[in-house]
């Protein structure tokens, strides 16, 4: 009851993001570009594996999009702090927790729609992907657990980074982590220490889970230990999820503690000075 | 209250009863916003005793928070939300503690009924300010804090706003603390005026008491005399 406004907030924001032209464009732009690329790759083989490149790329693209949800979460938080949304949340009962719930719901919801926009036509374009009911089940649990594991971490990053400029910088390490996470290139081809770092991130396990759901079973030969490692996937993503959910409200509260009307006024005056 | 070694507030003592309207006057940098932010629980004090609705604001829980109304100076938050939608949504946070003000009724009261379905980013400055006030009172607070509420209002909006504040104090018994630079506003609205200068309350009383004490003809003269005296 006390946290229901958070859920409603998420749904309202989700609806808004699909009813305003700018955000609607960004929902469709990347999936459509990716689909065009997949269309042209659809008959190309990948090395000697006998697998089609398009089939290998689809789960990777899904995994990357899901991982980037962390970045957008972080950016949204920084923006909401700058414009006073966070301060308003602080001024009302249960406002901070509901704000966080709302953001998780709207970002996760938007991401799932984006992934569907990509996945459904992708399955038609790309050959060599078999989706039985067991595969769907894997896809759904990996995605949901993966989002719960990554989005709160995004909220923590967004609380710690104060400016839009530092938000720009966070993209680089994120791309580096995605690069070593096995999403675009088999992790078995990387040196051992990079494999180790890659496996600490939730991104690797999300990508692995997606590949296990979407690729035929002989694709497992390019993975570590020749296994999809579902148990380990659930364990690592679970640990990240618990850590993020425990950490995010505390960090957000700490950030909000420093927000006040006069801080906001200062920022507004600075922004106006920059414009004039 | 201090920042590092600089004490910004050092002698600020007052109390307020239910339904009382208090105006906090003073030059920029006198500590008006700091005082209000301590009372709102937005800022921690370094010393002294503060109670709002019987609770130390630094330790106020969500129930306490639901009884405290804060009118923020909004800037550009919730730009994609529609006016009625946001007001109704924010009202729902108070539902476990009280009966929030119905959004339509409240929009009528602040003169925003015609803008109910507009996106907030399309409101004028004065309209946004009135929405801020509506958000501040949607939970029917027992105490309301307003930091320079009418900055940027045209005379008509200002008049309507004064009527609204008076109605809150009289009909709902809401205690109101507002800061302002507008002496006329303080004279019209406040039961009691506090003059804050350099972190200290240098005068307190009704407008006529302040005028009589300074032995001058208007509140403006009394205020100027007090503040100049402090500068010397």
């Amino acid at each position: 009851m006390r946290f229901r406004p958070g859920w409603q907030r998420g749904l309202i924001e989700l609806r808004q993001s699909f009813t305003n032209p700018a955000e609607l464009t960004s929902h469709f732009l990347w999936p459509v570009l990716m689909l065009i690329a997949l269309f042209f790759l659809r008959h190309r083989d990948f090395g000697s594996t006998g697998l089609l490149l398009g089939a290998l790329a689809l789960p990777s693209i899904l995994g990357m999009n899901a991982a980037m949800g962390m970045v957008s979460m972080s950016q949204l938080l920084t923006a909401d702090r700058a414009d006073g949304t966070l301060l308003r949340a602080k001024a009302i009962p249960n406002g901070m927790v509901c704000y966080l719930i709302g953001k998780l719901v709207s970002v996760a919801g938007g991401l799932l729609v984006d992934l569907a926009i990509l996945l459904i036509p992708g399955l038609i374009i790309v050959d060599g992907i078999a989706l039985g009911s067991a595969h769907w089940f894997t896809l759904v649990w990996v995605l949901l657990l993966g989002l719960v594991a990554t989005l709160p971490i995004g909220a923590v990053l967004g609380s710690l980074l104060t400016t839009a400029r530092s938000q720009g910088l966070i993209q680089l390490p994120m791309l580096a982590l995605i690069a070593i996470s096995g999403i675009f290139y088999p992790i078995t081809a990387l040196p051992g220490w990079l494999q180790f770092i890659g496996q600490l991130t939730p991104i690797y396990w999300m990508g692995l889970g997606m590949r296990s759901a979407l690729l035929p079973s002989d694709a497992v030969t390019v993975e570590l230990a020749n296994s999809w490692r579902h148990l380990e996937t659930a364990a690592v993503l679970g640990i990240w999820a618990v850590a993020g959910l425990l950490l995010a409200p505390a960090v957000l509260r700490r950030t909000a503690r420093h927000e006040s009307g006069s801080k906001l006024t200062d920022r507004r005056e600075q922004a106006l000075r920059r414009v004039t | 209250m201090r920042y590092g070694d600089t004490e910004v507030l050092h002698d600020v003592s007052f109390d307020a009863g239910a339904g009382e309207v208090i105006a906090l006057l003073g030059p920029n940098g006198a500590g008006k916003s700091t005082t209000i932010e301590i009372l709102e629980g937005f800022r921690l004090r370094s010393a002294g005793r503060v109670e709002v609705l019987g609770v130390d604001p630094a330790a106020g829980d969500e129930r306490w928070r639901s009884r405290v109304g804060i009118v923020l100076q909004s800037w550009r938050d919730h730009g994609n939300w529609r006016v009625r939608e946001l007001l109704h949504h924010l009202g729902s946070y108070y539902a476990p503690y009280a009966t929030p003000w119905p959004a339509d009724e409240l929009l009528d009261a602040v003169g925003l009924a015609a803008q109910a379905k507009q996106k907030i980013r399309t409101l004028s400055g004065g309209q946004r300010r009135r929405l801020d006030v509506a958000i501040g009172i949607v939970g029917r607070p027992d105490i309301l804090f307003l930091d320079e509420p009418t900055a940027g209002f045209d005379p008509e909006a200002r008049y309507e706003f004064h009527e609204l504040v008076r109605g809150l104090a009289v009909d709902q018994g809401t205690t109101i603390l507002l800061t302002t630079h507008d002496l006329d506003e303080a004279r019209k609205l406040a039961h009691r005026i506090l003059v804050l200068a350099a972190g200290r309350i240098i005068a307190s009383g009704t407008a006529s008491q302040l005028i009589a004490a300074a032995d001058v003809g208007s509140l403006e003269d009394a205020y100027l005399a007090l503040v100049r005296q402090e500068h010397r």
Side-chain angles (χ1 to χ4, degrees), chain B residues 88-158:
Chain B
H88 178 75
H89 172 71
L90 294 180
S92 72
Y93 289 69
Y94 294 89
Y97 309 100
T99 311
W101 217 327
D104 290 318
E105 214 176 285
L106 189 50
L107 287 175
D108 258 338
V110 297
L112 280 178
Q115 283 77 31
K117 292 194 171 146
Q118 231 166 287
K119 279 197 181 173
I120 292 173
R121 70 164 84 258
T122 66
L123 296 182
S124 72
Q127 288 168 341
R128 266 207 92 131
R129 214 68 197 95
R130 276 184 272 167
L131 178 59
D132 289 338
V133 173
I135 292 171
I137 61 179
V138 68
R140 299 183 197 270
D142 295 324
I143 184 163
L144 183 65
F145 296 105
L146 302 133
D147 202 356
E148 294 186 30
T150 54
F153 275 32
D154 62 36
E156 197 194 350
R158 191 175 300 242

Side-chain angles (χ1 to χ4, degrees), chain A residues 5 9 15 88 94 262 268, chain B residues 37 62 77-78 85 132:
Chain A
R9 183 179 187 83
R15 195 198 62 221
R88 217 180 267 296
N94 302 305
S262 44
R268 174 171 45 194
Chain B
E37 285 171 4
E62 302 300 332
D77 62 288
H78 294 94
E85 177 181 56
D132 289 338

Side-chain angles (χ1 to χ4, degrees), chain B residues 22-33 35-36 148 177-187 190 192-207 210 219-220 222-224 226-227:
Chain B
I22 295 182
L24 203 53
L25 301 181
N28 286 330
K32 299 190 298 294
S33 293
T35 304
I36 271 210
E148 294 186 30
L177 181 67
L178 62 104
T179 70
T180 183
H181 283 302
D182 183 346
L183 300 176
D184 199 39
E185 179 166 273
R187 191 177 53 78
R192 190 147 47 108
I193 295 171
L194 306 177
V195 181
L196 198 65
R200 219 158 50 80
I201 292 184
I202 55 173
S204 155
T206 63
L210 293 184
L219 181 59
E220 189 177 9
Y223 173 78
L224 289 174
L226 280 164
V227 172

